[in-house]
Amino acid sequence: MKSYIENVYNKVVEKDPGQEVFHQAVEEVLESLEPAIEKYPKFKEHAILERIVEPERVILFRVPWLNKDGEVKVNRGFRVQFNSAIGPYKGGLRFHNTVNLGVLKFLGFEQTFKNGLTGLPMGGGKGGSDFDPHGKTDAEVRNFCHNYMTELYKHVGQFTDVPAGDIGVGAREIGYLYGMYRKITNKHGTCVLTGKGPTYGGSLIRPEATGYGTVYFVQEMLKTKNENLKDKKVCISGSGNVAQFAAEKSNQLGAKVIAMSDSSGWVHDPDGIDQEKLEWIMELKNVRRGRIKEFAEEFKGVEYHTDKSPWYLPCDIAMPCATQNEVDAKEAKALVDNGVIALGEGANMPLTPDAIEIVQEANVLYAPGKAANAGGVSVSGLEMAQNSMRYFWTREEVDQKLHQIMVSIHKTAYDTAELFGEKGNYVLGANIAGFLKVANAMVAQGYIS
Ligand code: NDP
């Protein structure tokens, strides 16, 4: 069986040699699927592995836009429609200068299994551009988003593909994208994007969902050891959407958030980033679009560092919420040596393979992103449901549903790991459970795609 799986993996590498992060994601998933492939021979007969590693469709287009000096610039736009066996493609758009096809294939591949885990009818997709909103004026961002949508609109729709936000795509960008979609198609109310503003069809709790969901998942893991978040020291990386609301929910559950970061450095606040300070950070990042360094300049007793990373700080709970491969083996070792008890991935694939091995060997409660950060896409699914009903649920209703979904994802991953003889291995549990949902649908529908 191992050689069959290795063969599938080797072909992926051979076909697209430059797509290292995609290879990394495929390797991690395929490795843990071995017992499921052995148990159910139908998946090999139906070439499910060979098919599931290949996107159904990739759309690549140019996006010209005008900068503030009146010059025409050109970026690449992408949409990777990875797997629609269980529902319309669903997954965010990332605007960052590191975006390329390999990165989006990794994210779309992960999204396929994540969406399978949520229990909602959503396939996997991802998209974006190598356009970097950092330092751009509002007019430049608006112009780019509008022009990006003049191509993307041909490929999306409530029954086809429903994008959302990701790195560099927040409420502002979704607003501009949605505005242009509505203008071109003369359609309102159909759910073509999620993460919309609440005044034009967005769901309450969608901005909070990924961060809150990650903390709900960590809470469930802690419960298996009769533990909770009260008085726990929490280190968070990033200070964007996911990080902000992971910090907010940690505070609400009685924990103390001692670190946050951005791509320039990180801040250490031994007194804890309480709700008041967090709101200051939200204003800094979401409105003024400043740097985390300013937080240390504003509040007494806060240190700003550009060396090492927050993972060298002693903490009980770590939540990487910035980007892929941001925690390496040395940092994972430092976390373990300093006694971390739980690690929940708010970001997608933030730990390198070596780092994962280290935390797993040390029996740290470790939640992979595809389980821990599935709250965002889950509430996106709830946004789609509300748009279809032409109705909305209250904050409390959506939060309760999000909580139920996260509890259920935790149970599914935990039970599946136990069923396959790997109790406590959330990586194996989440990968197999997400895979079974999608793979069974693919078998049932025949080899049409
Ligand atoms: P944002 O753009 O809102 O925030 C990203 C944060 O990470 C910023 O603080 C940014 O700093 C920092 N960051 C980005 N790249 C790097 C880097 N190379 N090194 C260090 N720091 C970096 O994005 P989100 O919060 O939406 O997304 C964060 C992660 O969560 C991503 O992995 C995303 O895929 C994942 N995710 C997001 C979901 C969502 O609903 N938004 C859903 C599920 C997963 P700076 O401002 O300096 O760039």
Side-chain angles (χ1 to χ4, degrees), residues 94-96 98 106-107 111 114 126 132 134 164-170 206-207 209-211 237-244 261-265 285-286 290-291 320-324 326 345-350 369 373-377 380:
R94 176 176 292 190
F95 290 172
H96 197 268
T98 56
F106 128 60
L107 291 164
Q111 194 82 44
K114 181 189 305 187
K126 203 81 188 188
D132 192 348
H134 286 103
D166 191 78
I167 292 179
V169 179
R206 177 59 188 91
T210 309
S237 63
S239 48
N241 171 266
V242 180
Q244 290 170 15
S261 70
D262 62 20
S263 59
S264 311
K285 287 291 171 183
N286 308 342
R291 309 305 299 158
C321 297
T323 194
Q324 63 268 16
E326 55 163 310
E345 294 186 343
N348 284 309
M349 211 170 73
N373 69 38
V377 75
S380 276

Side-chain angles (χ1 to χ4, degrees), residues 40-59:
Y40 305 107
K42 65 179 175 181
F43 295 136
K44 192 173 172 196
E45 285 157 27
H46 288 258
I48 295 297
L49 291 188
E50 290 87 334
R51 289 156 63 196
I52 217 163
V53 295
E54 198 70 67
E56 287 177 20
R57 191 177 300 106
V58 170
I59 299 147

Side-chain angles (χ1 to χ4, degrees), residues 9 12 19-33 53 82 102-111 113 324-325 348-349 351 353 356 370 427 431:
Y9 173 72
V12 168
Q19 301 179 347
E20 286 85 6
V21 274
F22 176 56
H23 305 160
Q24 184 185 332
V26 170
E27 188 173 22
E28 187 228 271
V29 170
L30 291 189
E31 262 174 19
S32 52
L33 293 184
V53 295
F82 222 105
V103 168
L104 295 178
K105 279 175 68 182
F106 128 60
L107 291 164
F109 181 72
E110 286 284 296
Q111 194 82 44
F113 301 96
Q324 63 268 16
N325 291 329
N348 284 309
M349 211 170 73
L351 268 65
I356 296 176
K370 69 172 72 64
V427 175
N431 283 338

Side-chain angles (χ1 to χ4, degrees), residues 108-123:
F109 181 72
E110 286 284 296
Q111 194 82 44
T112 300
F113 301 96
K114 181 189 305 187
N115 293 2
L117 275 175
T118 65
L120 299 172
M122 300 181 292

